[in-house]
């Protein structure tokens, strides 16, 4: 009987520790998809109970990941949709790398996000309309990539009706125009429009 209770207890501890490290699992999974020539992600291993001691990761007082700072880290690889499961992220700073592929639609689930900096990468495809669901977003910098298509209306609405203060989509392959004034009479705080825009 005692051994059965002990076995159940150990099983519960294992389940709890796996659950507590789900953010670490997500980040470690992403690390396996990246090329890291300077070993900036060397501290990202699964021996920690959570990813909070890892370099370039910031957590809150509850050991929940709130910030990733991987700007200018010389990383290359895709942005994986699983990053959207870091639901308490406030800052996602991935600028000046060689990230390629599309911006995951799932990033629209990062409801706490204030700053999304993906500029100066090799990202392609359309800007997901789901980014327009990020009502807390204040800074969206997607410039200097290979993004194409039109700027989604949902993202423009963040400028008009949300908290978005800086929207930079310059130096991409976007189509269309964004007007300086809007029907509400409120000034658009700042939009940097693509100089390569097609009319």
């Amino acid at each position: 009987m005692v051994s059965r209770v002990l076995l159940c207890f150990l099983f519960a501890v294992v389940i709890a520790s796996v659950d507590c490290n789900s953010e670490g699992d997500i980040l470690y999974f992403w690390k396996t998809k990246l090329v890291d020539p300077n070993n900036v992600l060397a501290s990202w291993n699964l021996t920690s109970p959570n990813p909070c001691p890892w370099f370039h990761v910031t957590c809150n007082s509850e050991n929940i990941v709130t910030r990733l700072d991987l700007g200018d880290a010389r990383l290359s690889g895709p942005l994986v949709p699983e990053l959207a499961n870091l639901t308490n992220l406030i800052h996602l700073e991935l600028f000046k790398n060689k990230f390629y592929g599309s911006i995951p639609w799932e990033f629209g689930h990062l409801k706490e996000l204030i700053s999304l900096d993906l500029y100066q990468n090799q990202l392609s495809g359309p800007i997901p309309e789901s980014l327009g669901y990020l009502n807390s977003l204040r800074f969206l910098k997607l410039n200097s990539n290979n993004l194409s298509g039109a700027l989604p209306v949902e993202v423009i609405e963040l400028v008009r009706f949300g908290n978005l203060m800086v929207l930079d989509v310059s130096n991409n392959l976007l189509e269309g125009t964004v007007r300086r004034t809007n029907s509400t009479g409120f000034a658009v705080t700042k939009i940097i429009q693509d100089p390569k825009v097609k009319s």
Side-chain angles (χ1 to χ4, degrees):
M1 178 70 174
V2 172
S3 63
R4 188 177 186 150
V5 170
L6 181 59
L7 184 60
C8 288
F9 174 74
L10 289 175
F11 183 72
V13 168
V14 168
I15 295 295
S17 66
V18 168
D19 192 40
C20 290
N21 201 18
S22 63
E23 291 185 325
D25 293 339
I26 292 164
L27 292 172
Y28 188 81
F29 168 76
W30 185 38
K31 175 187 173 180
T32 66
K33 306 289 183 194
L34 299 177
V35 175
D36 180 11
N38 294 330
N39 286 324
V40 297
L41 305 178
S43 65
W44 290 27
N45 63 65
L46 296 177
T47 59
S48 302
N50 59 58
C52 299
W54 297 357
F55 292 129
H56 312 287
V57 176
T58 303
C59 295
N60 63 17
S61 61
E62 297 169 359
N63 291 327
I64 296 171
V65 175
T66 58
R67 185 178 184 120
L68 288 180
D69 285 300
L70 290 168
D72 203 13
R74 301 179 113 185
L75 298 170
S76 62
L79 301 179
V80 295
E82 290 81 0
L83 290 173
N85 293 320
L86 303 172
T87 55
N88 292 286
L89 270 181
I90 296 172
H91 298 275
L92 185 54
E93 309 296 331
L94 305 177
F95 56 89
K96 291 187 181 178
N97 284 288
K98 293 182 180 178
F99 294 123
Y100 57 79
S102 60
I103 300 170
W105 185 92
E106 293 83 355
F107 279 17
H109 296 299
L110 296 170
K111 301 294 187 192
E112 304 299 319
L113 209 58
I114 291 174
S115 177
L116 178 58
D117 287 341
L118 302 177
Y119 62 91
Q120 292 185 17
N121 279 290
Q122 298 170 359
L123 298 169
S124 58
I127 297 171
E129 66 183 45
S130 63
L131 296 184
Y133 307 153
L134 302 176
N135 293 322
S136 297
L137 199 61
R138 299 185 72 188
F139 304 95
L140 179 57
K141 298 178 186 174
L142 305 176
N143 53 295
S144 302
N145 281 288
N146 297 307
L147 299 169
S148 59
L151 184 61
V153 171
E154 293 83 357
V155 173
I156 296 171
E157 299 278 315
L158 289 177
V159 175
R160 294 179 65 198
F161 305 113
N163 294 311
L164 193 60
M165 293 173 29
V166 174
L167 170 60
D168 190 345
V169 295
S170 61
N171 296 314
N172 279 292
L173 304 170
L174 299 175
E175 300 173 357
T177 60
V178 177
R179 305 279 184 252
R180 287 182 169 256
T181 58
N182 59 52
S183 60
T184 64
F186 293 105
V188 174
T189 52
K190 181 177 183 180
I191 292 181
I192 301 174
Q193 180 64 359
D194 192 340
K196 297 182 223 173
V197 70
K198 297 175 186 175
S199 300

